[in-house]
Amino acid sequence: MNIKKGFVLREVCGEHVIVGEGLGTVNFGKLLALNETAAWLWKQAQEMGEFSVESLASRLCEEYEVSEAEAQKDVADILNEWRSVGVIE
């Protein structure tokens, strides 16, 4: 998986949000608010370029005190949400 071109993480009024920039995202027309952990995962995914549930879950376990099973479930949930709104492919 990877982040679709044109989607970026911004901080707006103290909140982390994903926004679309450029003509390729003109139909997005919304902000996707992220909590601190989800914003951290977005940054990791951006840094990695190509990522998977497993690779992001592994990084999550290194950064936070969370079991591998819980990390994989949480990462899968957020990636499913991101996929459903069209910000990753």
Side-chain angles (χ1 to χ4, degrees):
M1 285 177 264
N2 55 49
I3 295 171
K4 283 188 178 177
K5 187 172 177 70
F7 290 100
V8 295
L9 179 66
R10 296 278 187 244
E11 191 169 325
V12 178
C13 298
E15 297 290 323
H16 298 287
V17 294
I18 296 172
V19 296
E21 295 182 336
L23 292 176
T25 62
V26 76
N27 291 329
F28 188 64
K30 57 185 157 196
L31 300 176
L32 180 63
L34 304 180
N35 65 24
E36 288 291 325
T37 306
W40 184 86
L41 283 170
W42 181 271
K43 291 174 188 173
Q44 297 304 303
Q46 205 169 27
E47 179 182 297
M48 295 168 79
E50 187 74 25
F51 57 88
S52 65
V53 170
E54 294 78 14
S55 62
L56 284 176
S58 177
R59 287 200 178 187
L60 190 63
C61 288
E62 291 171 9
E63 184 71 16
Y64 296 95
E65 290 185 27
V66 61
S67 71
E68 185 70 30
E70 186 176 356
Q72 285 200 10
K73 181 197 176 309
D74 291 348
V75 168
D77 289 347
I78 194 71
L79 293 181
N80 285 334
E81 180 182 340
W82 292 350
R83 190 177 301 111
S84 74
V85 296
V87 296
I88 63 171
E89 53 191 1

